[in-house]
Amino acid sequence: MRLYLTALNPTDSVTGGFLPAARTLGLDVTLLTDQPERYAEVEALRTDVRDARAVIDTIARHHPPDAIFSNSDHIQPETALAAAYFGLPGKDWRACLTAKNKYLTRRALAAAGVEHVRTALVTPGQPPPDLPYPVVVKPREGVASEDVMLVREPGELRRVTAEIAERRPGAALVAEEYLAGPLHTLETLGDGENTRVLGGFRTTLGPLPYFVEERLDWDPRHGDDAAHVLRVLGAVGAGFGACHTEYVRTADGPRIVEVNYRLIGDTCDFLLAEILGVPLFEHVLRVHLGEPAPDVPPAVTHGAALSLVAPRSGVITRTPGDVAETIGAARLRHRPLRAAGDTVELTNTNRDYLGVVRAVGPDAAAVDGAIDAFRARTPWVVE
């Protein structure tokens, strides 16, 4: 059976997750990408993966497909259209587009009566929209917390949108009411008929006005929140494959921040797989091969991921390197994202990560102790 996997730049999820999972399943893999030279370990064909017509054409001239899949934020609609063209299991391209476009997400949820969060498109140089302040301004189709900021009055909104427009010419921006409360995630896997709740994380953010995710702690106590998130996914149409949904527990109940129609990122997909004790990447691929989403037993371990954020701009002079070890009762892994000698320029986004520490153990105390011990022994140094 042949799997076509569409991708842009290499990610841990693809190179360390889905490609090994495909080999375990005995699949022949063809990777379609605009950067084939960066994928030496697999057959890679140069394709404009942002164009569904190009993806379809490349596949039609190659081997017949049994599954067409992507874990990329940016090319879900194109991949879904290609899967539909060949009559294969896949996501609805409209759901992919709605999830990616934050304005369309809000519009779909309001139309379905699931939740109402005031939001508006923002045009630099035009009068600010009539919204209750403070508001959050962000790119309509942004990722990695880039250019996401809390603003407290109309004048600041005008200034911030002008600055973002200078960095992102032509990018559409949205502003929406600020959702106060703890930030959580819900991870799901669906087959088009049934959506399995895998669990979720409690997210710790860095200081406002930015929204940099610094830590995720496993939190299986999602309770009624899961029912609300499932209604959200139903309204968006996101019921096939993996989905990573972020929401805030507000005083009025859960409210969605965004729907990411893919696995959780920043190596937390590996953490999720280890906490659950299941071959998560294989489960996702099996769904795209037409198999039902499996039941996943509740986790019996605890886990956390700490993103090590650069404390300042400068040059990295010391790094712990790639580490896998056992500390007490916890298994710990440090994945460096930068190297000694690299120059860091702070952006106040997830791009400021130096590395990610993941730990899994029997309880929170074991996990916290392992992370604290590792950080104290092997710090990053930026001078």
Side-chain angles (χ1 to χ4, degrees):
M1 301 183 77
R2 181 162 300 272
L3 166 69
Y4 285 89
L5 195 158
T6 65
L8 296 167
N9 56 297
T11 64
D12 288 323
S13 298
V14 169
T15 59
F18 287 110
L19 290 180
R23 288 193 290 268
T24 299
L25 294 174
L27 302 177
D28 297 314
V29 179
T30 300
L31 193 142
L32 307 182
T33 178
D34 59 347
Q35 305 169 58
E37 65 280 357
R38 302 182 66 184
Y39 293 92
E41 73 277 22
V42 64
E43 178 186 48
L45 303 181
R46 186 179 299 279
T47 309
D48 181 2
V49 287
R50 296 181 186 272
D51 185 343
R53 295 167 298 182
V55 174
I56 292 168
D57 182 64
T58 299
I59 294 173
R61 290 185 287 107
H62 202 53
H63 303 292
D66 294 288
I68 303 173
F69 166 76
S70 183
N71 195 56
S72 170
D73 264 316
H74 305 282
I75 52 177
Q76 291 292 338
E78 294 80 2
T79 305
L81 282 166
Y85 178 85
F86 288 101
L88 298 173
K91 301 170 183 177
D92 185 326
W93 69 269
R94 292 162 294 192
C96 296
L97 187 63
T98 301
K100 180 62 178 171
N101 184 310
K102 295 172 177 61
Y103 183 77
L104 292 181
T105 301
R106 296 293 186 206
R107 181 174 177 270
L109 298 186
V114 175
E115 65 175 49
H116 296 268
V117 174
R118 294 186 63 181
T119 185
L121 292 170
V122 182
T123 303
Q126 297 298 314
D130 181 18
L131 292 173
Y133 286 83
V135 301
V136 179
V137 61
K138 62 181 74 173
R140 186 184 62 190
E141 291 146 333
V143 296
S145 300
E146 290 185 348
D147 288 319
V148 181
M149 286 190 65
L150 180 71
V151 298
R152 300 188 179 278
E153 48 87 18
E156 186 181 10
L157 179 60
R158 284 193 294 268
R159 176 181 61 80
V160 169
T161 54
E163 292 172 353
I164 297 174
E166 187 173 344
R167 290 189 294 269
R168 294 171 173 258
L173 306 177
V174 296
E176 57 189 35
E177 61 180 287
Y178 172 59
L179 302 173
L183 179 63
H184 289 259
T185 84
L186 195 75
E187 315 305 325
T188 56
L189 178 63
D191 56 23
E193 294 186 6
N194 297 298
T195 300
R196 311 295 188 194
V197 175
L198 304 179
F201 294 91
R202 183 177 69 257
T203 304
T204 300
L205 296 174
L208 296 171
Y210 306 105
F211 292 85
V212 179
E213 297 177 0
E214 295 190 349
R215 177 164 174 152
L216 278 77
D217 288 87
W218 180 249
D219 185 5
R221 300 165 298 176
H222 38 71
D224 294 338
D225 295 351
H228 180 80
V229 172
L230 292 177
R231 288 194 295 272
V232 166
L233 299 185
V236 172
F240 188 92
C243 194
H244 161 61
T245 306
E246 300 179 13
Y247 68 93
V248 174
R249 284 180 178 163
T250 74
D252 299 318
R255 296 292 182 269
I256 297 302
V257 174
E258 61 184 21
V259 176
N260 301 281
Y261 209 177
R262 52 158 172 80
L263 271 181
I264 187 172
D266 294 320
T267 79
C268 289
D269 38 9
F270 298 93
L271 175 66
L272 179 61
E274 191 172 2
I275 291 172
L276 296 174
V278 300
L280 180 61
F281 297 94
E282 293 174 34
H283 283 352
V284 175
L285 291 182
R286 286 183 181 277
V287 166
H288 284 264
L289 289 165
E291 298 184 22
D295 286 317
V296 176
V300 296
T301 59
H302 181 72
L306 175 68
S307 298
L308 302 175
V309 181
R312 64 185 65 84
S313 297
V315 177
I316 298 171
T317 59
R318 182 179 172 188
T319 168
D322 198 331
V323 176
E325 61 185 9
T326 299
I327 302 178
R331 300 183 302 276
L332 181 140
R333 177 71 189 267
H334 171 258
R335 170 75 165 88
L337 305 177
R338 300 291 190 97
D342 286 356
T343 298
V344 177
E345 295 290 343
L346 290 187
T347 63
N348 295 304
T349 75
N350 294 6
R351 309 298 184 192
D352 295 339
Y353 294 164
L354 300 173
V356 179
V357 181
R358 309 192 308 268
V360 175
D363 51 41
V367 168
D368 294 346
I371 292 175
D372 291 344
F374 174 80
R375 295 193 70 192
R377 189 181 76 244
T378 52
W380 286 79
V381 178
V382 180
E383 296 181 350

